[in-house]
Structures are given as structure tokens and as C-alpha cells.
Amino acid sequence: MADIAFIGLGNMGGPMAANLVKAGHRVIGFDPVPQAVEAARGKGIEIAESAGEAASQAEVVFSMLPAGQHVRAVYSGAGEVIAKAKPGTLFIDSSTIDVASARAVEEAASAAGHLMVDAPVSGGVAGAEAGTLTMMVGGSDAAFDMAKPFLEIVGGKVVHAGGPGNGQVAKVCNNMILGISMIAISEAFTLAEKLGLSPEKLFEISSTASGSCWAMLNHNPVPDIVPTSAANRGYVPGFAAGMMHKDLKLSQEAAAQAGVATPMGAEATALYTMFVNAGRADQDYTAIIKFIDPTRE
Ligand code: NAD
């Protein structure tokens, strides 16, 4: 059994760290927020005074942080994880962050003699609690092989996406598809209804026709079309619009850096920016249909 540091014990990190404890590992956590620390203690996680102190006691360091700036700060900055970790420590960053930060931190970790993978996740808080997250992993073969047994505890599906940063590439590209799809479905279901075709009939036809897609089948923005949609529960997340907005912005940063035109991704980002600026970040991302059809309010 391993000694594992876990940095960032929030909505996702808390349950992921708890699953590592349940699997029999010793987990030493750190988070600056007292409520997160208290909840973690209750799940059998030991608490350190700083990220660096937690890392210094571990063979493996997990992190689950809000954004790229936090990951850089924890590993290379004031958090001192790279500086304090024992040589050869394995770092697993599961935060959703920009590709450039993921690659920069991996480079710094490698230069200091550590191994690192980026392993962003899909599956939300329910997946974190159940240990069924999909893990998209970027890193060397050696780092991936070392990380896999730990990733299999917190995740249900673990995919090696290629070299450093490729987990983040997979995550932003997947979520750009999801954001664009959600808007397309919202437009089509609204148009159909205004033209006299019920959402139920459009679903019956399109769900097995060429317009079908994952978002239509699982997160249909019209209430009571599919059982798994947050639309049925008053658009309570689920997957918050603020999270979708964050991921779309990451896709546009990456597109600008790679010199790739993503006009549909840009439109989706603009629409979710307006939605979030209207104070709706905490609604489910399916609620974007109310922007397309304000009569649904
Ligand atoms: P959260 O805000 O609940 O948790 C982040 C935690 O990091 C907080 O407890 C915060 O105090 C802590 N933190 C911030 N700075 C820190 C530092 N310097 N040292 C240690 N801890 C620090 O967010 P979350 O929902 O757990 O999301 C975490 C990551 O997972 C994000 O990148 C998010 O995009 C991604 N993600 C979230 C979901 C979801 O449904 N919540 C789904 C997939 C991916």
C-alpha cells in the first residue's frame, strides 16, 4: 500500500481521496479551506500543513485544483511540491487546466527527476464518489504505467491519450463537441416546436437518425424527454454552465495557440459567456435552451 498526498480536497478531490483510503492507501491531504479539510478528516484522510509537507511524505501526489494557475503555484510556486517531493515521486494532476500549463509543469517535474501525468476526468461529482470517472491521461509510457493502478481506483475507464498534456487536449476537444452539440439540440428542438412538431416526436425520429448525438440521448435540454437530463430537475446541475464555460474558454485558448480556426467553438463560448454573465453559472448547462427560447423561463 502506498503513501499518497492529495492536494485539493474540494467537490471532486474529496471523494477521490476517500476512494484511495477505501482501497487501503494512506492518504495525506492538503486544502486551504477549513470545511474541505474537516470533511476529509471524517473520511480517514490525514491532514498536512502545506502541499509541500504532504508531498514530502508520499510516493504518489494527486492534485485536483480549480485552474492552471493553481496547478503551477502548487507544483512550481509557493506550494513547493516539486521542491519538497522525494526523488522519483509520481505526480497525477486530475484538474482540468490549459494544455500549456500542463506541459510546463510536467517539464519542470521531469527536470527535477519526477514522473508526471495529466489525468483530467469526466463524470462529475457522482462519478468521483462512485469511483467510475473516465480518466484521460497524458504522459510518458513509464509515467502512465506507474499511474495506472492508482487511476483505476478513482476511475472506471483509464485511457492513455499520448504524451504530456494530451489528457487535457482530449478533455477540451471532447467538451467543445459537447458545448456545440447542446446549443445545436437547443436550437433544433425549439425550432421544431415553433413549427408544430412536438419534442417527443422529434426525439423519436432524430434519436435514431443522422442528427442523433450523446447530448441529445443523455442530456436532452427539453424536460421529460430522457430520464437522465437535469432539465427534468429544474436545471439543477449536473454539469454547471460555469464549468462548461470554463472548458470552452480552455478550448479557445488552445485553438489560438495551435493556430486552428474553431468558429463553432467560438460561437459556443460566446453564448455560454453571455449565459454566465447573466448570473446563470450555477444552472445546468442544458439551461442554455432558455436563451434560445426565452418563453421556457
Ligand atoms: P472545487 O472548487 O470544489 O475544489 C477545488 C479545491 O482546490 C478547493 O477545495 C480549493 O480550496 C482547493 N485549492 C485551491 N487552491 C489550492 C492550493 N493552492 N492548494 C491546495 N488546494 C487548493 O472544484 P471541483 O469541482 O472539485 O473541481 C476541481 C477540478 O476538477 C476543476 O479543474 C474542474 O474543472 C474539474 N472537474 C470538475 C467536475 C465537476 O463536476 N465538479 C467535473 C470534471 C472536472
Side-chain angles (χ1 to χ4, degrees):
M1 288 295 120
D3 292 337
I4 303 175
F6 207 111
I7 317 300
L9 301 165
N11 292 326
M12 296 291 289
M16 288 167 73
N19 282 334
L20 292 167
V21 172
K22 276 188 216 151
H25 296 292
R26 174 181 174 226
V27 179
I28 310 125
F30 173 72
D31 194 295
V33 172
Q35 294 92 314
V37 165
E38 279 324 302
R41 263 195 236 279
K43 293 173 189 153
I45 296 157
E46 294 172 36
I47 300 299
E49 288 300 312
S50 69
E53 191 206 315
S56 71
Q57 301 178 49
E59 297 131 64
V60 179
V61 178
F62 265 90
S63 50
M64 195 50 163
L65 298 159
Q69 81 233 38
H70 306 96
V71 174
R72 284 178 186 261
V74 160
Y75 282 93
S76 306
E80 293 190 304
V81 165
I82 290 178
K84 293 269 173 74
K86 290 175 247 177
T89 301
L90 170 68
F91 301 150
I92 301 174
D93 179 44
S94 279
S95 326
T96 300
I97 65 170
D98 59 289
V99 176
S101 290
R103 289 183 172 154
V105 175
E106 190 279 338
E107 209 175 309
S110 290
H114 305 294
L115 289 153
M116 181 159 197
V117 294
D118 49 293
V121 307
S122 147
V125 174
E129 283 168 354
T132 56
L133 295 166
T134 296
M135 321 285 302
M136 302 158 236
V137 191
S140 67
D141 288 346
F144 176 76
D145 290 346
M146 213 171 144
K148 197 166 176 242
F150 300 101
L151 296 172
E152 282 173 343
I153 296 168
V154 294
K157 183 175 176 188
V158 178
V159 182
H160 191 188
N166 274 20
Q168 301 296 348
V169 174
K171 172 84 184 175
V172 300
C173 291
N174 180 73
N175 281 19
M176 189 173 82
I177 297 171
L178 181 62
I180 295 168
S181 309
M182 183 49 63
I183 295 164
I185 299 160
S186 298
E187 290 182 357
F189 275 76
T190 299
L191 178 62
E193 205 164 0
K194 300 293 174 199
L195 293 173
L197 176 66
S198 75
E200 290 78 11
K201 270 291 161 212
L202 179 61
F203 182 78
E204 187 186 337
I205 294 161
S206 275
S207 60
T208 54
S210 49
S212 182
C213 66
W214 187 93
M216 182 193 291
L217 301 180
N218 295 280
H219 287 175
N220 200 295
V222 178
D224 303 322
I225 300 290
V226 297
T228 44
S229 178
N232 309 348
R233 309 185 303 269
Y235 298 95
V236 173
F239 184 47
M243 291 274 185
M244 173 52 83
H245 181 228
K246 174 193 164 179
D247 293 351
L248 284 168
K249 282 194 299 180
L250 290 175
S251 78
Q252 295 311 288
E253 265 176 62
Q257 274 163 15
V260 175
T262 53
M264 303 305 292
E267 280 294 336
T269 309
L271 209 49
Y272 274 100
T273 301
M274 287 160 63
F275 196 68
V276 164
N277 287 349
R280 309 178 86 155
D282 295 334
Q283 294 185 3
D284 191 73
Y285 81 116
T286 52
I288 198 82
I289 196 171
K290 297 184 186 179
F291 247 35
I292 310 290
D293 177 10
T295 65
R296 289 182 186 277
E297 288 293 355

